[in-house]
Amino acid sequence: MFDNSFALGVSCSALLICIVNLIYTFIQKRTDKTHNKIFVAILCILSINAINGIISGAYGDDVTRSDISFTITQVSRYAYFVTHTALCPLFFYYVCNVSFVSNRMSSLKAKLIFMPFILTELMALTNPLTHLVYKVDSDLKFQRQWGEIFIYLAALLYFVLAFAVFRTSWKFISGKRKPAMVFLFILVAVGVFMQLLDKNLKVEVLFEAVGFTGVMLSVENEDDRIDFGMGFYNRAALNLDIGSSFRHNRKLNLIILKLNNYDLIDRLIGNGETNTIADIISGYLTSHVKRYHIYVSEKNTFVMTLYDKDKESVDKLAEEIAARFEEPWDYKDFSVLFNSTVMVADIPNQIKSASEMFYMLDSPALDDNEKNLLKDEDLNFIMRRRAVEDAISRGFAENSYEVYYQPTFRIDGELHGAEALVRLFDKKLGSLYPDEFIPIAEQSGLIDDIDDFVLEEVCRFLGTGIPQKYNIDHINVNLSVIQCMRPRFVETIDEIVERNGIDKKLINFEITETIAASDYETLSKIIERLKDEGFMFSMDDYGTGYSNMSAVFSLDLDVVKIDKSILWGAEKSELGMVILENTIRMIQQMKKKILVEGVETVDHIKLLKKLQVDYLQGFYFSKPITKEEFIDFISDPLKKEFHIGSI
């Protein structure tokens, strides 16, 4: 049914496909990684097999026409068996590399697995002497021997093993690779089966060549894994590769490079056409780590994966990178100095999951950390941060939050009000203070629920009528910048307060100077709307930021709270006193009320009385206390006011 011309055509097609695939692979320069090299080897084997098919199709069964034709046919047949015997084992090894299974394969296990290949390859190589695979009889006719059956059985074994590896690693193979590999398995199986049914079909190599074309387009082509701006692997590739390393118990070290001033540098020298940061540093990074071991998690975060390296060599490389980024970089007409942080982490000893790794990558470094190289115990703050974030998340389910109150006083000694301060008492971590967990809650997006909880608790307390009974003017409630900028913020505030039936003038919202400086126009509109509803507004921590003074005081604020650092600084130096006096004078000229925080001594009170501030707050009167303790405090006439006249 199928003559030699059909076999010739099929083999020519297979050879053409293989050659095109090889050319495309080399043009794209995808020959660096182990699986790239295996892929090229497989294409070369298929090319040799296709050439054998062409020779068979050209000469047919007539090999008696000349000694040359006989020799060519014999050499071709020998090359076919030697190379084709290695095809399925190489395919198995290819799948192992793509699936990262080869990384965890022990030396002994690898030797045992490849023993059938070694035996069959020896049989093919020594066939001219042993004739175990095939022979040519006295009539110059080709005859298959039992060794060929053994070769096919070994090939079947590796095909099944490859499929098993593929299935077990399914979740760690990227989306487009999965259908390509499935397609390849089906084509190979169908091609082999068809050729077994009719050996004259000669379609096995063609089916394999077509299947590997799909592999080239979907597996070898890593466009979906590349960050084209940087030229390194992207975040999705990092997730898959690290997940696979955990799956296969592969140990490795990470060197993480964060460019903290990336945006500033990019604005300074960016030209909008190329990624200038990549131009500057990519050559340096690839001189130390192969390009396919470098990932871009975020635009300013580079991750280098180091396999099979000892800790000493990894630390040395990290130190070298950190030292280099302390020096300026020359780029065209610019001299660029990066503000960088280098972190060294170990998988799986320090980092035990992909989620922990990404948490480390995405966590900002401590603002007050003077080191630019963090390793070992230096990274504990990140694990602490994650533990705190977990505590914040489970806090509501476990009723871990509680609102404390710190009283405020008028300068004449009468009780004025209180500031509501949230506390977190976690079963695992113990007591957590706002200075630690509030910034984490803001950055993780969990602050909204905390802010709403505090407002609800304050409203419930005001709803009891106890604060009003003891002539408290209002209770201060802090607002975060995240809360202020969320959609329907004003409506949410109104709904909470009105649901509890609270007079809005009893609530004084506090915003920090940092929040005010973030967006004056938006914040001014929010304050205006809430003031129209009857709420009061204060600026908290004044003196700790670097805001535009005229813009700050253009906000419709009722009270400005001077940060304790300004008061304490006045005690330490003449310059500090000048700053305090001028700050108070300026605020008074702006017609704003003044509350000073951090009052702890009689001398503080004397000084502030002299400077004619309006309100005082600090440990001299009381630390933040529970609601029950606060009720006891304001109901005790000896505590709720101090005798300013005697001071």
Side-chain angles (χ1 to χ4, degrees):
M1 179 177 179
F2 298 97
D3 56 17
N4 289 337
S5 62
F6 175 80
L8 181 62
V10 168
S11 298
C12 288
S13 300
L15 179 60
L16 179 61
I17 292 171
C18 291
I19 292 174
V20 170
N21 287 349
L22 281 168
I23 293 173
Y24 186 81
T25 297
F26 283 104
I27 288 175
Q28 295 297 313
K29 298 180 180 179
R30 298 193 180 105
T31 57
D32 295 336
K33 302 174 76 172
T34 301
H35 71 75
N36 299 146
K37 293 178 172 62
I38 299 171
F39 179 76
V40 170
I42 289 174
L43 289 179
C44 290
I45 289 175
L46 290 176
S47 298
I48 293 171
N49 294 170
I51 291 172
N52 173 262
I54 292 172
I55 292 172
S56 297
Y59 288 109
D61 295 328
D62 183 12
V63 296
T64 62
R65 290 180 295 178
S66 68
D67 291 339
I68 293 177
S69 63
F70 177 77
T71 301
I72 291 174
T73 303
Q74 288 294 89
V75 171
S76 171
R77 184 175 291 131
Y78 178 71
Y80 171 84
F81 278 102
V82 169
T83 57
H84 199 72
T85 299
L87 186 60
C88 272
L90 272 179
F91 175 57
F92 165 70
Y93 191 40
Y94 179 81
V95 174
C96 287
N97 272 269
V98 170
S99 306
F100 295 94
V101 172
S102 60
N103 295 334
R104 66 169 181 171
M105 194 180 295
S106 67
S107 176
L108 178 60
K109 188 175 182 180
K111 290 177 182 177
L112 291 175
I113 289 177
F114 284 99
M115 189 59 69
F117 162 63
I118 295 172
L119 293 175
T120 54
E121 191 64 34
L122 284 173
M123 292 172 60
L125 286 169
T126 60
N127 188 76
L129 300 176
T130 62
H131 305 296
L132 295 176
V133 181
Y134 66 91
K135 70 176 183 178
V136 178
D137 61 18
S138 57
D139 295 327
L140 300 182
K141 296 293 185 182
F142 172 77
Q143 293 184 353
R144 302 173 187 271
Q145 302 296 306
W146 65 269
E148 186 181 31
I149 298 175
F150 188 69
I151 289 175
Y152 271 97
L153 288 175
L156 178 62
L157 170 65
Y158 287 114
F159 185 80
V160 172
L161 286 175
F163 186 77
V165 168
F166 175 67
R167 287 291 298 122
T168 57
S169 303
W170 180 263
K171 67 181 294 187
F172 297 110
I173 299 175
S174 60
K176 73 173 187 178
R177 291 184 170 193
K178 293 175 181 178
M181 295 298 291
V182 170
F183 180 64
L184 174 61
F185 276 108
I186 293 173
L187 278 181
V188 171
V190 170
V192 171
F193 180 72
M194 290 178 64
Q195 193 154 319
L196 285 175
L197 290 179
D198 188 344
K199 65 179 182 179
N200 293 319
L201 283 175
K202 307 291 185 182
V203 294
E204 178 186 344
V205 175
L206 177 61
F207 276 54
E208 290 166 349
V210 172
F212 274 100
T213 301
V215 169
M216 181 193 67
L217 295 174
S218 300
V219 180
E220 294 298 300
N221 183 348
E222 297 187 309
D223 287 351
D224 63 328
R225 290 169 53 86
I226 300 295
D227 183 298
F228 288 103
M230 293 291 186
F232 301 125
Y233 281 156
N234 57 28
R235 187 181 179 97
L238 177 62
N239 186 36
L240 282 170
D241 295 350
I242 294 299
S244 182
S245 293
F246 279 111
R247 167 82 174 177
H248 301 305
N249 300 316
R250 182 83 189 273
K251 295 181 179 181
L252 71 150
N253 290 278
L254 303 179
I255 296 180
I256 301 162
L257 170 65
K258 282 178 171 284
L259 303 180
N260 303 317
N261 61 341
Y262 176 96
D263 289 334
L264 177 62
I265 299 297
D266 193 47
R267 287 197 301 270
L268 176 66
I269 61 176
N271 58 21
E273 298 176 0
T274 60
N275 193 312
T276 53
I277 306 298
D279 287 347
I280 296 172
I281 69 172
S282 61
Y284 174 77
L285 294 181
T286 52
S287 69
H288 293 285
V289 180
K290 292 181 179 179
R291 183 173 292 274
Y292 55 82
H293 285 313
I294 304 176
Y295 302 78
V296 181
S297 173
E298 296 292 342
K299 62 182 181 180
N300 69 327
T301 305
F302 301 83
V303 182
M304 288 154 273
T305 56
L306 305 173
Y307 295 88
D308 305 319
K309 300 288 186 181
D310 60 87
K311 187 178 186 306
E312 183 179 351
S313 63
V314 173
D315 286 348
K316 183 178 179 181
L317 175 58
E319 290 168 3
E320 183 178 337
I321 293 174
R324 177 62 186 89
F325 276 84
E326 287 284 285
E327 302 297 325
W329 299 72
D330 293 327
Y331 179 78
K332 296 183 178 179
D333 297 329
F334 295 92
S335 181
V336 179
L337 184 61
F338 288 106
N339 178 341
S340 66
T341 302
V342 177
M343 296 184 285
V344 183
D346 169 77
I347 291 178
N349 296 324
Q350 285 180 292
I351 301 177
K352 303 187 183 304
S353 67
S355 63
E356 282 192 6
M357 179 200 65
F358 280 111
Y359 191 90
M360 175 176 288
L361 297 180
D362 298 337
S363 294
L366 291 178
D367 293 335
D368 58 353
N369 195 338
E370 297 180 354
K371 295 182 178 180
N372 74 325
L373 174 60
L374 305 177
K375 59 182 180 179
D376 302 327
E377 292 79 11
D378 296 331
L379 297 175
N380 288 345
F381 79 92
I382 295 179
M383 296 302 104
R384 170 68 179 183
R385 178 187 174 86
R386 175 155 190 165
V388 171
E389 188 171 309
D390 290 341
I392 294 170
S393 299
R394 63 175 174 264
F396 291 104
E398 298 180 354
N399 296 316
S400 302
Y401 292 102
E402 186 175 0
V403 174
Y404 275 41
Y405 297 87
Q406 185 175 25
T408 61
F409 286 83
R410 294 186 178 89
I411 195 66
D412 63 7
E414 292 185 1
L415 182 67
H416 168 245
E419 180 178 3
L421 300 164
V422 66
R423 296 289 186 266
L424 175 57
F425 302 93
D426 185 67
K427 293 178 180 178
K428 294 182 179 180
L429 302 182
S431 297
L432 300 173
Y433 291 91
D435 287 350
E436 180 177 22
F437 73 82
I438 290 298
I440 295 175
E442 288 181 336
Q443 292 163 0
S444 62
L446 300 171
I447 192 64
D448 283 358
D449 291 338
I450 296 175
D451 286 338
D452 290 348
F453 168 79
V454 173
L455 182 58
E456 286 275 8
E457 289 296 299
V458 169
C459 287
R460 290 193 185 101
F461 183 33
L462 290 170
T464 65
I466 296 174
Q468 298 89 316
K469 177 182 176 182
Y470 293 101
N471 299 318
I472 283 182
D473 287 352
H474 48 251
I475 294 179
N476 299 349
V477 177
N478 290 284
L479 293 180
S480 68
V481 64
I482 305 298
Q483 189 182 22
C484 290
M485 301 304 173
R486 72 183 180 183
R488 294 184 54 80
F489 163 67
V490 175
E491 290 78 5
T492 301
I493 295 296
D494 281 339
E495 191 276 328
I496 292 174
V497 176
E498 292 172 1
R499 174 163 35 85
N500 286 277
I502 304 303
D503 187 347
K504 294 176 181 177
K505 70 179 182 181
L506 293 172
I507 296 176
N508 178 27
F509 289 115
E510 292 188 4
I511 55 171
T512 66
E513 185 181 359
T514 303
I515 293 177
S518 63
D519 191 337
Y520 291 114
E521 183 177 352
T522 301
L523 187 59
S524 179
K525 293 178 181 178
I526 292 171
I527 292 176
E528 182 180 353
R529 290 182 62 188
L530 288 174
K531 292 274 290 185
D532 289 342
E533 294 288 331
F535 295 103
M536 298 182 65
F537 260 89
S538 297
M539 176 175 289
D540 195 12
D541 299 333
Y542 180 79
T544 59
Y546 301 93
S547 54
N548 182 311
M549 296 302 161
S550 62
V552 167
F553 290 107
S554 68
L555 300 174
D556 190 9
L557 302 168
D558 298 290
V559 180
V560 175
K561 297 180 69 174
I562 296 177
D563 187 73
K564 60 187 178 184
S565 62
I566 304 296
L567 174 61
W568 295 351
E571 290 183 304
K572 298 176 181 179
S573 68
E574 183 178 345
L575 177 60
M577 182 63 72
V578 171
I579 292 173
L580 175 64
E581 291 174 347
N582 282 279
T583 299
I584 291 174
R585 186 179 301 112
M586 181 180 63
I587 297 173
Q588 289 170 337
Q589 291 172 347
M590 297 286 182
K591 310 292 186 192
K592 308 292 183 183
K593 297 289 186 180
I594 301 172
L595 184 150
V596 180
E597 300 174 304
V599 178
E600 296 187 349
T601 67
V602 171
D603 288 339
H604 285 166
I605 297 174
K606 289 180 179 179
L607 173 62
L608 296 173
K609 180 183 178 183
K610 179 182 176 182
L611 295 174
Q612 299 181 343
V613 303
D614 300 284
Y615 309 113
L616 308 174
Q617 180 180 347
F619 281 12
Y620 179 84
F621 313 109
S622 173
K623 64 180 181 179
I625 51 181
T626 65
K627 181 176 69 176
E628 291 73 21
E629 292 172 331
F630 182 67
I631 293 172
D632 291 340
F633 181 92
I634 62 178
S635 62
D636 186 341
L638 297 178
K639 294 180 179 178
K640 75 175 184 178
E641 63 180 70
F642 65 96
H643 300 290
I644 194 70
S646 63
I647 295 179

